[in-house]
Amino acid sequence: MNLEKTIMSLADTAGVSGDETKAAELALSCLKEFTDDCYIKNGNVIGHLGVRGKKPHVLIDAHIDQIGFVVTHITEDGFLKISNCGGIDRRLLLAQEVTVLGKKPLSGVICAIPPHLEKDDSKVPEMEDICIDIGMTKEQAEQVISLGDKVIFSAHCEKLQGDRITGAALDDRCGVASILRALDIVKDENLQCEVTVLFSTQEEVGERGAKIAAFDIDPDIAIAVDVSFALTSDDSELKCGKMGKGCMIGYSPVLDKELSDTFKKLAEEKKLPYQIEVMSGETGTNADRFSVNNSGAKAVTLSIPLKYMHTPVEVISLADVENTAQLIAEYLKGVGA
């Protein structure tokens, strides 16, 4: 498995919250390399491995959706008004290139007043002030764009120096790739438990896909693979992990401490780099839904350090994705044995 190629392919496929079909279909095709027992249900990609019905039942999840926008109005001048799908940093929106996912993909730019004419260049625009210019009249736009169509940043993944990758939607397509890589590692193992893989929808708008899937799957143990904040020059080491230093194992009141300790001990035994991420309440990940699903499940977060979250230029280290995959694989080899 080519991890870099897999990450880039997944991240460059459109899948805004609520409209993840293309990304889900690609993820499903990747999952079919490891199991025939996989399918899409209510938007979620689900696959089964190991021994059906054998305890413990382990769920491994990463969300497939990405942040984006939705078209809310077409003005008389042919500009598109939009609203956000998921958490958008409005500071970076002006003059961004975007792709409108209408009847056919359309290139557009978010309108920006030139600095020569801007009276207050410190103002952060509100979403209701944002417009997209697609170079069409209203009549032309209405032929190819419908209200409710999604919009994504036009950024594509690029290689930086070393093992770094930048692009949009690395949150959480790199998590999806790490799970696929873990399955690649254990593909010849005789797993002594039931494993369900979940690539869930609508995480960015309230972990909705994880909630319905977990109720249906009803696992004993749930591993939420997501991203978390990597240290940048303008932030604090108290709040962030460090890129290149391995998977961030979560500790939180809503997570299972015994399970977190298990992953910490396993990383030490296998000499895999890891970091500890302490959260004082909910984690902001699908683990929050897994821990209170049905009669509950032991839940843990494994997070990949990522810079510039929810922007078109997110950055990850391939080594962190690989080390996260290795940790998941080592756990699967031993659980239930």
Side-chain angles (χ1 to χ4, degrees), residues 33-64:
E33 296 292 321
F34 307 107
T35 176
D36 294 327
D37 190 2
C38 56
Y39 47 88
I40 294 176
K41 183 175 182 180
N42 294 323
N44 292 312
V45 180
I46 300 171
H48 301 280
L49 300 94
V51 184
R52 280 280 200 148
K54 186 165 185 179
K55 298 293 185 178
H57 184 179
V58 180
L59 171 65
I60 315 173
D61 162 80
H63 69 87
I64 196 71

PDB file of all heavy atoms in Angstrom, residues 33-64:
ATOM      1  N   GLU A  33     -10.123  -3.971  -0.638  1.00  0.00           N
ATOM      2  CA  GLU A  33      -8.840  -4.665  -0.747  1.00  0.00           C
ATOM      3  C   GLU A  33      -8.616  -5.604   0.443  1.00  0.00           C
ATOM      4  O   GLU A  33      -7.798  -6.528   0.368  1.00  0.00           O
ATOM      5  CB  GLU A  33      -7.701  -3.654  -0.815  1.00  0.00           C
ATOM      6  CG  GLU A  33      -7.712  -2.764  -2.050  1.00  0.00           C
ATOM      7  CD  GLU A  33      -7.423  -3.545  -3.320  1.00  0.00           C
ATOM      8  OE1 GLU A  33      -6.569  -4.444  -3.269  1.00  0.00           O
ATOM      9  OE2 GLU A  33      -8.073  -3.254  -4.346  1.00  0.00           O
ATOM     10  N   PHE A  34      -9.365  -5.384   1.532  1.00  0.00           N
ATOM     11  CA  PHE A  34      -9.109  -6.129   2.769  1.00  0.00           C
ATOM     12  C   PHE A  34     -10.301  -6.955   3.242  1.00  0.00           C
ATOM     13  O   PHE A  34     -10.138  -7.820   4.102  1.00  0.00           O
ATOM     14  CB  PHE A  34      -8.686  -5.156   3.872  1.00  0.00           C
ATOM     15  CG  PHE A  34      -7.543  -4.265   3.461  1.00  0.00           C
ATOM     16  CD1 PHE A  34      -7.755  -2.929   3.183  1.00  0.00           C
ATOM     17  CD2 PHE A  34      -6.263  -4.780   3.313  1.00  0.00           C
ATOM     18  CE1 PHE A  34      -6.718  -2.109   2.771  1.00  0.00           C
ATOM     19  CE2 PHE A  34      -5.215  -3.971   2.914  1.00  0.00           C
ATOM     20  CZ  PHE A  34      -5.436  -2.628   2.635  1.00  0.00           C
ATOM     21  N   THR A  35     -11.481  -6.707   2.720  1.00  0.00           N
ATOM     22  CA  THR A  35     -12.649  -7.499   3.114  1.00  0.00           C
ATOM     23  C   THR A  35     -13.722  -7.391   2.031  1.00  0.00           C
ATOM     24  O   THR A  35     -13.928  -6.321   1.439  1.00  0.00           O
ATOM     25  CB  THR A  35     -13.225  -7.040   4.458  1.00  0.00           C
ATOM     26  OG1 THR A  35     -14.428  -7.781   4.744  1.00  0.00           O
ATOM     27  CG2 THR A  35     -13.573  -5.555   4.453  1.00  0.00           C
ATOM     28  N   ASP A  36     -14.408  -8.500   1.801  1.00  0.00           N
ATOM     29  CA  ASP A  36     -15.559  -8.489   0.896  1.00  0.00           C
ATOM     30  C   ASP A  36     -16.824  -8.069   1.626  1.00  0.00           C
ATOM     31  O   ASP A  36     -17.827  -7.733   0.988  1.00  0.00           O
ATOM     32  CB  ASP A  36     -15.767  -9.880   0.288  1.00  0.00           C
ATOM     33  CG  ASP A  36     -14.619 -10.281  -0.627  1.00  0.00           C
ATOM     34  OD1 ASP A  36     -14.036  -9.386  -1.272  1.00  0.00           O
ATOM     35  OD2 ASP A  36     -14.301 -11.490  -0.686  1.00  0.00           O
ATOM     36  N   ASP A  37     -16.768  -8.112   2.951  1.00  0.00           N
ATOM     37  CA  ASP A  37     -17.934  -7.795   3.770  1.00  0.00           C
ATOM     38  C   ASP A  37     -17.926  -6.305   4.102  1.00  0.00           C
ATOM     39  O   ASP A  37     -17.679  -5.896   5.239  1.00  0.00           O
ATOM     40  CB  ASP A  37     -17.912  -8.632   5.053  1.00  0.00           C
ATOM     41  CG  ASP A  37     -19.210  -8.521   5.839  1.00  0.00           C
ATOM     42  OD1 ASP A  37     -20.136  -7.820   5.375  1.00  0.00           O
ATOM     43  OD2 ASP A  37     -19.286  -9.126   6.934  1.00  0.00           O
ATOM     44  N   CYS A  38     -18.180  -5.480   3.084  1.00  0.00           N
ATOM     45  CA  CYS A  38     -18.188  -4.037   3.293  1.00  0.00           C
ATOM     46  C   CYS A  38     -19.234  -3.398   2.386  1.00  0.00           C
ATOM     47  O   CYS A  38     -19.558  -3.920   1.321  1.00  0.00           O
ATOM     48  CB  CYS A  38     -16.806  -3.432   3.070  1.00  0.00           C
ATOM     49  SG  CYS A  38     -16.064  -3.777   1.465  1.00  0.00           S
ATOM     50  N   TYR A  39     -19.722  -2.245   2.797  1.00  0.00           N
ATOM     51  CA  TYR A  39     -20.860  -1.632   2.118  1.00  0.00           C
ATOM     52  C   TYR A  39     -21.030  -0.201   2.630  1.00  0.00           C
ATOM     53  O   TYR A  39     -20.368   0.233   3.582  1.00  0.00           O
ATOM     54  CB  TYR A  39     -22.133  -2.429   2.410  1.00  0.00           C
ATOM     55  CG  TYR A  39     -22.321  -2.762   3.879  1.00  0.00           C
ATOM     56  CD1 TYR A  39     -22.968  -1.886   4.750  1.00  0.00           C
ATOM     57  CD2 TYR A  39     -21.819  -3.957   4.399  1.00  0.00           C
ATOM     58  CE1 TYR A  39     -23.117  -2.181   6.102  1.00  0.00           C
ATOM     59  CE2 TYR A  39     -21.955  -4.261   5.741  1.00  0.00           C
ATOM     60  CZ  TYR A  39     -22.607  -3.368   6.583  1.00  0.00           C
ATOM     61  OH  TYR A  39     -22.726  -3.665   7.920  1.00  0.00           O
ATOM     62  N   ILE A  40     -21.931   0.523   1.975  1.00  0.00           N
ATOM     63  CA  ILE A  40     -22.314   1.865   2.428  1.00  0.00           C
ATOM     64  C   ILE A  40     -23.745   1.792   2.959  1.00  0.00           C
ATOM     65  O   ILE A  40     -24.642   1.286   2.280  1.00  0.00           O
ATOM     66  CB  ILE A  40     -22.217   2.884   1.283  1.00  0.00           C
ATOM     67  CG1 ILE A  40     -20.760   3.062   0.847  1.00  0.00           C
ATOM     68  CG2 ILE A  40     -22.788   4.240   1.716  1.00  0.00           C
ATOM     69  CD1 ILE A  40     -20.569   3.984  -0.344  1.00  0.00           C
ATOM     70  N   LYS A  41     -23.928   2.276   4.169  1.00  0.00           N
ATOM     71  CA  LYS A  41     -25.248   2.267   4.787  1.00  0.00           C
ATOM     72  C   LYS A  41     -25.517   3.633   5.412  1.00  0.00           C
ATOM     73  O   LYS A  41     -24.743   4.103   6.247  1.00  0.00           O
ATOM     74  CB  LYS A  41     -25.332   1.177   5.864  1.00  0.00           C
ATOM     75  CG  LYS A  41     -26.715   1.069   6.508  1.00  0.00           C
ATOM     76  CD  LYS A  41     -26.778  -0.103   7.486  1.00  0.00           C
ATOM     77  CE  LYS A  41     -28.169  -0.236   8.100  1.00  0.00           C
ATOM     78  NZ  LYS A  41     -28.229  -1.369   9.050  1.00  0.00           N
ATOM     79  N   ASN A  42     -26.589   4.260   4.991  1.00  0.00           N
ATOM     80  CA  ASN A  42     -26.937   5.603   5.465  1.00  0.00           C
ATOM     81  C   ASN A  42     -25.761   6.572   5.318  1.00  0.00           C
ATOM     82  O   ASN A  42     -25.533   7.442   6.158  1.00  0.00           O
ATOM     83  CB  ASN A  42     -27.394   5.559   6.931  1.00  0.00           C
ATOM     84  CG  ASN A  42     -28.686   4.801   7.115  1.00  0.00           C
ATOM     85  OD1 ASN A  42     -29.584   4.876   6.270  1.00  0.00           O
ATOM     86  ND2 ASN A  42     -28.794   4.037   8.189  1.00  0.00           N
ATOM     87  N   GLY A  43     -25.009   6.400   4.232  1.00  0.00           N
ATOM     88  CA  GLY A  43     -23.884   7.277   3.946  1.00  0.00           C
ATOM     89  C   GLY A  43     -22.571   6.812   4.526  1.00  0.00           C
ATOM     90  O   GLY A  43     -21.496   7.152   4.011  1.00  0.00           O
ATOM     91  N   ASN A  44     -22.611   6.046   5.611  1.00  0.00           N
ATOM     92  CA  ASN A  44     -21.403   5.552   6.260  1.00  0.00           C
ATOM     93  C   ASN A  44     -20.814   4.359   5.509  1.00  0.00           C
ATOM     94  O   ASN A  44     -21.546   3.501   5.023  1.00  0.00           O
ATOM     95  CB  ASN A  44     -21.706   5.106   7.695  1.00  0.00           C
ATOM     96  CG  ASN A  44     -22.064   6.256   8.606  1.00  0.00           C
ATOM     97  OD1 ASN A  44     -21.378   7.266   8.641  1.00  0.00           O
ATOM     98  ND2 ASN A  44     -23.145   6.094   9.357  1.00  0.00           N
ATOM     99  N   VAL A  45     -19.479   4.317   5.442  1.00  0.00           N
ATOM    100  CA  VAL A  45     -18.780   3.150   4.898  1.00  0.00           C
ATOM    101  C   VAL A  45     -18.485   2.204   6.053  1.00  0.00           C
ATOM    102  O   VAL A  45     -17.888   2.595   7.058  1.00  0.00           O
ATOM    103  CB  VAL A  45     -17.469   3.565   4.214  1.00  0.00           C
ATOM    104  CG1 VAL A  45     -16.749   2.335   3.656  1.00  0.00           C
ATOM    105  CG2 VAL A  45     -17.730   4.575   3.110  1.00  0.00           C
ATOM    106  N   ILE A  46     -18.914   0.949   5.914  1.00  0.00           N
ATOM    107  CA  ILE A  46     -18.785  -0.027   6.993  1.00  0.00           C
ATOM    108  C   ILE A  46     -18.170  -1.308   6.434  1.00  0.00           C
ATOM    109  O   ILE A  46     -18.556  -1.781   5.360  1.00  0.00           O
ATOM    110  CB  ILE A  46     -20.154  -0.340   7.631  1.00  0.00           C
ATOM    111  CG1 ILE A  46     -20.760   0.940   8.213  1.00  0.00           C
ATOM    112  CG2 ILE A  46     -20.026  -1.415   8.712  1.00  0.00           C
ATOM    113  CD1 ILE A  46     -22.199   0.788   8.679  1.00  0.00           C
ATOM    114  N   GLY A  47     -17.221  -1.871   7.165  1.00  0.00           N
ATOM    115  CA  GLY A  47     -16.606  -3.133   6.766  1.00  0.00           C
ATOM    116  C   GLY A  47     -16.345  -4.012   7.971  1.00  0.00           C
ATOM    117  O   GLY A  47     -16.087  -3.504   9.070  1.00  0.00           O
ATOM    118  N   HIS A  48     -16.413  -5.322   7.784  1.00  0.00           N
ATOM    119  CA  HIS A  48     -16.233  -6.278   8.883  1.00  0.00           C
ATOM    120  C   HIS A  48     -15.061  -7.205   8.597  1.00  0.00           C
ATOM    121  O   HIS A  48     -14.896  -7.705   7.486  1.00  0.00           O
ATOM    122  CB  HIS A  48     -17.507  -7.111   9.079  1.00  0.00           C
ATOM    123  CG  HIS A  48     -18.714  -6.288   9.395  1.00  0.00           C
ATOM    124  ND1 HIS A  48     -18.977  -5.792  10.648  1.00  0.00           N
ATOM    125  CD2 HIS A  48     -19.727  -5.858   8.588  1.00  0.00           C
ATOM    126  CE1 HIS A  48     -20.110  -5.100  10.623  1.00  0.00           C
ATOM    127  NE2 HIS A  48     -20.581  -5.126   9.385  1.00  0.00           N
ATOM    128  N   LEU A  49     -14.241  -7.425   9.645  1.00  0.00           N
ATOM    129  CA  LEU A  49     -13.105  -8.341   9.564  1.00  0.00           C
ATOM    130  C   LEU A  49     -13.064  -9.185  10.828  1.00  0.00           C
ATOM    131  O   LEU A  49     -13.855  -8.978  11.752  1.00  0.00           O
ATOM    132  CB  LEU A  49     -11.784  -7.564   9.425  1.00  0.00           C
ATOM    133  CG  LEU A  49     -11.603  -6.653   8.215  1.00  0.00           C
ATOM    134  CD1 LEU A  49     -12.004  -5.236   8.558  1.00  0.00           C
ATOM    135  CD2 LEU A  49     -10.160  -6.690   7.729  1.00  0.00           C
ATOM    136  N   GLY A  50     -12.101 -10.097  10.882  1.00  0.00           N
ATOM    137  CA  GLY A  50     -11.974 -10.937  12.066  1.00  0.00           C
ATOM    138  C   GLY A  50     -13.081 -11.962  12.144  1.00  0.00           C
ATOM    139  O   GLY A  50     -13.637 -12.398  11.132  1.00  0.00           O
ATOM    140  N   VAL A  51     -13.435 -12.341  13.375  1.00  0.00           N
ATOM    141  CA  VAL A  51     -14.408 -13.403  13.605  1.00  0.00           C
ATOM    142  C   VAL A  51     -15.739 -12.787  14.019  1.00  0.00           C
ATOM    143  O   VAL A  51     -15.854 -12.174  15.075  1.00  0.00           O
ATOM    144  CB  VAL A  51     -13.915 -14.374  14.705  1.00  0.00           C
ATOM    145  CG1 VAL A  51     -14.900 -15.532  14.864  1.00  0.00           C
ATOM    146  CG2 VAL A  51     -12.527 -14.895  14.373  1.00  0.00           C
ATOM    147  N   ARG A  52     -16.732 -12.924  13.179  1.00  0.00           N
ATOM    148  CA  ARG A  52     -18.055 -12.364  13.468  1.00  0.00           C
ATOM    149  C   ARG A  52     -18.609 -12.950  14.759  1.00  0.00           C
ATOM    150  O   ARG A  52     -18.627 -14.162  14.966  1.00  0.00           O
ATOM    151  CB  ARG A  52     -19.029 -12.669  12.331  1.00  0.00           C
ATOM    152  CG  ARG A  52     -18.900 -11.762  11.131  1.00  0.00           C
ATOM    153  CD  ARG A  52     -19.584 -10.431  11.357  1.00  0.00           C
ATOM    154  NE  ARG A  52     -19.878  -9.744  10.109  1.00  0.00           N
ATOM    155  CZ  ARG A  52     -20.915  -8.948   9.920  1.00  0.00           C
ATOM    156  NH1 ARG A  52     -21.752  -8.728  10.909  1.00  0.00           N
ATOM    157  NH2 ARG A  52     -21.096  -8.332   8.771  1.00  0.00           N
ATOM    158  N   GLY A  53     -19.048 -12.087  15.664  1.00  0.00           N
ATOM    159  CA  GLY A  53     -19.665 -12.505  16.902  1.00  0.00           C
ATOM    160  C   GLY A  53     -18.699 -12.787  18.030  1.00  0.00           C
ATOM    161  O   GLY A  53     -19.128 -13.041  19.163  1.00  0.00           O
ATOM    162  N   LYS A  54     -17.392 -12.774  17.742  1.00  0.00           N
ATOM    163  CA  LYS A  54     -16.421 -13.067  18.795  1.00  0.00           C
ATOM    164  C   LYS A  54     -16.073 -11.802  19.555  1.00  0.00           C
ATOM    165  O   LYS A  54     -15.817 -10.759  18.970  1.00  0.00           O
ATOM    166  CB  LYS A  54     -15.153 -13.697  18.202  1.00  0.00           C
ATOM    167  CG  LYS A  54     -14.167 -14.149  19.278  1.00  0.00           C
ATOM    168  CD  LYS A  54     -13.111 -15.083  18.725  1.00  0.00           C
ATOM    169  CE  LYS A  54     -12.228 -15.614  19.852  1.00  0.00           C
ATOM    170  NZ  LYS A  54     -11.204 -16.547  19.364  1.00  0.00           N
ATOM    171  N   LYS A  55     -16.035 -11.899  20.867  1.00  0.00           N
ATOM    172  CA  LYS A  55     -15.717 -10.764  21.720  1.00  0.00           C
ATOM    173  C   LYS A  55     -14.217 -10.641  21.935  1.00  0.00           C
ATOM    174  O   LYS A  55     -13.516 -11.656  21.959  1.00  0.00           O
ATOM    175  CB  LYS A  55     -16.437 -10.917  23.070  1.00  0.00           C
ATOM    176  CG  LYS A  55     -17.960 -10.936  22.983  1.00  0.00           C
ATOM    177  CD  LYS A  55     -18.498  -9.590  22.544  1.00  0.00           C
ATOM    178  CE  LYS A  55     -20.024  -9.580  22.574  1.00  0.00           C
ATOM    179  NZ  LYS A  55     -20.577  -8.267  22.195  1.00  0.00           N
ATOM    180  N   PRO A  56     -13.706  -9.432  22.120  1.00  0.00           N
ATOM    181  CA  PRO A  56     -14.459  -8.183  22.054  1.00  0.00           C
ATOM    182  C   PRO A  56     -14.722  -7.756  20.605  1.00  0.00           C
ATOM    183  O   PRO A  56     -14.014  -8.170  19.684  1.00  0.00           O
ATOM    184  CB  PRO A  56     -13.525  -7.188  22.741  1.00  0.00           C
ATOM    185  CG  PRO A  56     -12.152  -7.705  22.439  1.00  0.00           C
ATOM    186  CD  PRO A  56     -12.276  -9.204  22.451  1.00  0.00           C
ATOM    187  N   HIS A  57     -15.732  -6.936  20.446  1.00  0.00           N
ATOM    188  CA  HIS A  57     -16.061  -6.359  19.150  1.00  0.00           C
ATOM    189  C   HIS A  57     -15.443  -4.965  19.105  1.00  0.00           C
ATOM    190  O   HIS A  57     -15.837  -4.073  19.860  1.00  0.00           O
ATOM    191  CB  HIS A  57     -17.578  -6.290  18.983  1.00  0.00           C
ATOM    192  CG  HIS A  57     -18.020  -5.789  17.646  1.00  0.00           C
ATOM    193  ND1 HIS A  57     -19.346  -5.678  17.302  1.00  0.00           N
ATOM    194  CD2 HIS A  57     -17.320  -5.354  16.555  1.00  0.00           C
ATOM    195  CE1 HIS A  57     -19.437  -5.197  16.078  1.00  0.00           C
ATOM    196  NE2 HIS A  57     -18.221  -4.997  15.608  1.00  0.00           N
ATOM    197  N   VAL A  58     -14.459  -4.783  18.220  1.00  0.00           N
ATOM    198  CA  VAL A  58     -13.695  -3.532  18.156  1.00  0.00           C
ATOM    199  C   VAL A  58     -14.136  -2.713  16.947  1.00  0.00           C
ATOM    200  O   VAL A  58     -14.147  -3.215  15.815  1.00  0.00           O
ATOM    201  CB  VAL A  58     -12.183  -3.819  18.058  1.00  0.00           C
ATOM    202  CG1 VAL A  58     -11.395  -2.506  17.989  1.00  0.00           C
ATOM    203  CG2 VAL A  58     -11.715  -4.665  19.233  1.00  0.00           C
ATOM    204  N   LEU A  59     -14.494  -1.476  17.192  1.00  0.00           N
ATOM    205  CA  LEU A  59     -14.841  -0.528  16.134  1.00  0.00           C
ATOM    206  C   LEU A  59     -13.676   0.440  15.941  1.00  0.00           C
ATOM    207  O   LEU A  59     -13.166   1.017  16.902  1.00  0.00           O
ATOM    208  CB  LEU A  59     -16.104   0.244  16.506  1.00  0.00           C
ATOM    209  CG  LEU A  59     -16.484   1.421  15.598  1.00  0.00           C
ATOM    210  CD1 LEU A  59     -16.845   0.925  14.206  1.00  0.00           C
ATOM    211  CD2 LEU A  59     -17.644   2.210  16.199  1.00  0.00           C
ATOM    212  N   ILE A  60     -13.240   0.595  14.687  1.00  0.00           N
ATOM    213  CA  ILE A  60     -12.206   1.574  14.357  1.00  0.00           C
ATOM    214  C   ILE A  60     -12.814   2.573  13.384  1.00  0.00           C
ATOM    215  O   ILE A  60     -13.313   2.199  12.321  1.00  0.00           O
ATOM    216  CB  ILE A  60     -10.971   0.931  13.710  1.00  0.00           C
ATOM    217  CG1 ILE A  60     -10.552  -0.324  14.466  1.00  0.00           C
ATOM    218  CG2 ILE A  60      -9.817   1.926  13.655  1.00  0.00           C
ATOM    219  CD1 ILE A  60      -9.453  -1.086  13.765  1.00  0.00           C
ATOM    220  N   ASP A  61     -12.772   3.845  13.749  1.00  0.00           N
ATOM    221  CA  ASP A  61     -13.492   4.866  12.984  1.00  0.00           C
ATOM    222  C   ASP A  61     -12.594   6.028  12.597  1.00  0.00           C
ATOM    223  O   ASP A  61     -11.698   6.436  13.345  1.00  0.00           O
ATOM    224  CB  ASP A  61     -14.650   5.402  13.825  1.00  0.00           C
ATOM    225  CG  ASP A  61     -15.171   6.742  13.312  1.00  0.00           C
ATOM    226  OD1 ASP A  61     -15.936   6.731  12.332  1.00  0.00           O
ATOM    227  OD2 ASP A  61     -14.788   7.793  13.877  1.00  0.00           O
ATOM    228  N   ALA A  62     -12.849   6.581  11.406  1.00  0.00           N
ATOM    229  CA  ALA A  62     -12.344   7.894  11.006  1.00  0.00           C
ATOM    230  C   ALA A  62     -13.442   8.544  10.162  1.00  0.00           C
ATOM    231  O   ALA A  62     -14.112   7.846   9.383  1.00  0.00           O
ATOM    232  CB  ALA A  62     -11.059   7.778  10.198  1.00  0.00           C
ATOM    233  N   HIS A  63     -13.623   9.830  10.310  1.00  0.00           N
ATOM    234  CA  HIS A  63     -14.723  10.445   9.556  1.00  0.00           C
ATOM    235  C   HIS A  63     -14.284  10.785   8.133  1.00  0.00           C
ATOM    236  O   HIS A  63     -13.145  11.160   7.879  1.00  0.00           O
ATOM    237  CB  HIS A  63     -15.305  11.658  10.299  1.00  0.00           C
ATOM    238  CG  HIS A  63     -14.422  12.859  10.401  1.00  0.00           C
ATOM    239  ND1 HIS A  63     -14.369  13.832   9.424  1.00  0.00           N
ATOM    240  CD2 HIS A  63     -13.594  13.290  11.380  1.00  0.00           C
ATOM    241  CE1 HIS A  63     -13.545  14.790   9.789  1.00  0.00           C
ATOM    242  NE2 HIS A  63     -13.056  14.490  10.977  1.00  0.00           N
ATOM    243  N   ILE A  64     -15.228  10.649   7.208  1.00  0.00           N
ATOM    244  CA  ILE A  64     -14.958  10.789   5.779  1.00  0.00           C
ATOM    245  C   ILE A  64     -15.322  12.173   5.272  1.00  0.00           C
ATOM    246  O   ILE A  64     -14.939  12.559   4.167  1.00  0.00           O
ATOM    247  CB  ILE A  64     -15.725   9.696   4.995  1.00  0.00           C
ATOM    248  CG1 ILE A  64     -15.177   9.537   3.564  1.00  0.00           C
ATOM    249  CG2 ILE A  64     -17.218   9.982   4.957  1.00  0.00           C
ATOM    250  CD1 ILE A  64     -13.838   8.914   3.489  1.00  0.00           C
TER     251      ILE A  64
END
